[in-house]
Amino acid sequence: MCNIYKNTWKDAVQLTHLHITNFKNIAEADLNFSQNINALLGDNGMGKSNLLDAIYYLSFCKSFTSLPDAGIVKSGETFTMMQGDYVRRGTEEQVAFGYAAGKRKSFKRGGKEYSRLSQHIGVFPLVLVSPADMELVGGGAEGRRRFIDMLISQTAPAYLNHLIRYNSALQQRNRLLRDHVCDPNLYTAIEMTMEMSAEYITGARREITGRLREIFRKHYRDIARTEETPEAEYRSALLISGVSYGELLEQSRRKDEIIGHTTTGPHRDDLELTLDGMAVRSTASQGQSKTFTIALRLAQYEFMHEATGMRPLLLLDDIFDKLDSHRVANIVEIVNRDIFGQIFITDTNRDHLDSIMSSMTGADYSMWNVSCGNFEPVK
Ligand SMILES: Nc1ncnc2c1ncn2[C@@H]1O[C@H](COP(=O)(O)OP(=O)(O)OP(=O)(O)O)[C@@H](O)[C@H]1O
Ligand SMILES: [Mg+2]
């Protein structure tokens, strides 16, 4: 299907307008966005990622750089404010955020203040592909578990409750182990709670990573166009042990007492990433690792679309870095496919952005030159 139809997607979440005051290096910005692709061009340190962070903030109530709130206020100023106008499920919506140094932050949807910010997460779905994603591939299992957990939590609210229950019981068991408590009844009660939630968590992770893996492999192959075999497989001791988690915990109690913490369970699961059977973390090149992160995020996008019935906003921060010209061209082609809704993309290289725009047959797009926190439209 030709791109000209892109802006007719009824299920795409769209940010139509954004007003920013004092967010990081952006003193003031008032931007109207294209429903299709919005490109931000500029040298290093100019404010391209800061704009994406502002959009991210309005969906997740926090910065993607994990800065404390004081860090997002423009230096020398005492407050920051943002207002985003959206179209969501065919209806116009407004999200407003304000924070002043030393005060509680205010977050409103349709003029109504949230009592708990967690109620806002997932309402305006968004997927970010960022340079920090390299940690997903090169870092420890914790980051990959967080990736899976965030994905499932946004689509199945019960999952988060099980995760909280499991982690709280896990901490209680670890406390008993550290304090050398020997009462088996105490362990049994805690382990029963852990087992109940672990079954749900493992089942959900297995099911969802199974679907994710299929989409991921398709995207990897489309970007790389090589004979490589990429894999993203869920690994859990509970699935290979052949005994129940309750039995596993009981069997490992002696060992856990000596070590001082629980050595088996969903808190040790991983999403094992391999290329031709070898661990990506230790053997893949930077370009191959980058391809993994982009393919994983695009799989997250498609999965969220399937699960929520809404096309999330897609933020692509510096995605072409480390990739050869073939992979860049393949990504340009993928980005132009009709699976995505509204896209925001940053780059320091105008050729990359121009190649995306020139392949957009007839659909409208917007481009800005970003300089010291200012946004100048490119004609
Ligand atoms: N609270 C703040 N107040 C003022 N400036 C800030 C604040 N936080 C970050 N900055 C500035 O924002 C700039 C970084 O902007 P940003 O990360 O958006 O750059 P970029 O255009 O994405 O660059 P690159 O191409 O290198 O990724 C830095 O110069 C940094 O000093
Ligand atoms: Mg940047």
Side-chain angles (χ1 to χ4, degrees):
M1 192 192 289
C2 163
N3 244 313
I4 199 161
Y5 299 112
K6 250 183 130 173
N7 58 10
T8 61
W9 291 131
K10 293 274 183 289
D11 60 354
V13 175
Q14 288 166 6
L15 177 62
T16 53
H17 171 249
L18 176 65
H19 190 99
I20 300 176
T21 309
N22 295 339
F23 184 84
K24 296 187 161 183
N25 75 335
I26 306 168
E28 197 81 40
D30 195 75
L31 304 168
N32 290 309
F33 295 118
S34 156
Q35 296 164 330
N36 297 315
I37 297 196
N38 297 278
L40 301 150
L41 174 69
D43 289 342
N44 297 138
M46 288 298 145
K48 305 181 298 294
S49 300
N50 289 350
L51 181 76
L52 297 192
D53 202 12
I55 298 171
Y56 185 95
Y57 208 106
L58 288 180
S59 279
F60 289 98
C61 312
K62 63 176 187 182
S63 158
F64 62 62
T65 56
S66 309
L67 270 178
D69 284 325
I72 62 165
V73 178
K74 187 170 188 301
S75 55
E77 301 293 343
T78 54
F79 73 97
T80 177
M81 279 186 338
M82 284 191 276
Q83 184 183 303
D85 297 323
Y86 292 83
V87 177
R88 179 186 178 275
R89 298 200 191 277
T91 306
E92 290 184 6
E93 297 231 23
Q94 198 172 71
V95 177
F97 157 73
Y99 171 80
K103 299 226 175 88
R104 189 173 167 267
K105 65 181 160 194
S106 149
F107 224 98
K108 293 180 183 165
R109 177 180 172 197
K112 195 166 171 285
E113 182 90 43
Y114 279 104
S115 53
R116 279 186 299 126
L117 293 181
S118 59
Q119 293 165 341
H120 183 69
I121 315 297
V123 176
F124 294 86
L126 178 154
V127 171
L128 165 72
V129 184
S130 96
D133 287 342
M134 289 295 262
E135 189 60 21
L136 208 55
V137 169
E142 197 185 343
R144 288 181 290 278
R145 279 196 300 276
R146 206 177 315 120
F147 169 72
I148 300 170
D149 289 342
M150 272 187 71
L151 186 66
I152 308 176
S153 310
Q154 283 185 55
T155 52
Y159 184 79
L160 196 57
N161 294 335
H162 277 290
L163 213 53
I164 291 168
R165 207 171 303 150
Y166 175 81
N167 283 327
S168 140
L170 173 68
Q171 276 168 23
Q172 286 176 37
R173 186 176 189 270
N174 285 345
R175 219 171 295 127
L176 294 186
L177 293 167
R178 271 197 307 272
D179 295 345
H180 304 290
V181 176
C182 297
D183 183 348
N185 294 330
L186 281 177
Y187 279 100
T188 306
I190 292 171
E191 287 170 4
M192 270 171 64
T193 309
M194 287 172 76
E195 187 175 7
M196 261 163 47
S197 288
E199 249 171 50
Y200 181 94
I201 294 166
T202 314
R205 282 180 181 173
R206 180 170 52 181
E207 188 186 322
I208 279 161
T209 52
R211 176 71 190 118
L212 191 81
R213 176 177 167 229
E214 283 173 37
I215 320 174
F216 155 76
R217 288 193 301 195
K218 178 186 67 157
H219 282 302
Y220 188 96
R221 292 210 173 100
D222 284 353
I223 300 170
R225 306 251 171 102
T226 56
E227 294 303 309
E228 296 163 336
T229 305
E231 271 299 354
E233 265 182 295
Y234 176 46
R235 292 274 179 246
S236 172
L238 270 68
L239 297 179
I240 50 172
S241 67
V243 295
S244 74
Y245 185 41
E247 284 171 78
L248 264 186
L249 282 170
E250 206 180 321
Q251 285 167 14
S252 63
R253 216 181 275 163
R254 285 286 310 144
K255 180 177 78 178
D256 290 356
E257 263 173 27
I258 297 164
I259 296 175
H261 63 256
T262 307
T263 54
T264 183
H267 63 288
R268 305 294 292 265
D269 288 356
D270 198 357
L271 185 69
E272 196 178 83
L273 305 177
T274 58
L275 192 58
D276 295 332
M278 289 188 291
V280 172
R281 193 175 162 188
S282 44
T283 60
S285 74
Q286 292 197 62
Q288 287 169 327
S289 300
K290 179 91 178 190
T291 308
F292 255 81
T293 67
I294 297 171
L296 275 173
R297 289 294 181 195
L298 296 185
Q300 174 191 354
Y301 185 97
E302 270 193 67
F303 176 83
M304 282 172 68
H305 179 205
E306 282 174 15
T308 65
M310 284 188 281
R311 281 168 215 268
L313 300 176
L314 181 60
L315 311 189
L316 304 173
D317 195 10
D318 220 359
I319 50 166
F320 299 118
D321 184 40
K322 307 231 175 13
L323 297 181
D324 63 40
S325 59
H326 304 289
R327 292 188 188 209
V328 167
N330 297 338
I331 288 180
V332 168
E333 189 266 313
I334 292 169
V335 165
N336 268 298
R337 283 182 193 165
D338 56 10
I339 46 176
F340 305 111
Q342 192 182 25
I343 297 175
F344 296 82
I345 183 164
T346 77
D347 213 294
T348 52
N349 180 339
R350 178 150 189 180
D351 292 345
H352 291 153
L353 298 177
D354 278 343
S355 60
I356 291 181
M357 305 312 172
S358 63
S359 52
M360 293 186 65
T361 40
D364 85 303
Y365 63 83
S366 299
M367 195 190 284
W368 287 267
N369 247 320
V370 187
S371 173
C372 301
N374 293 309
F375 299 81
E376 197 62 42
V378 177
K379 297 282 179 283

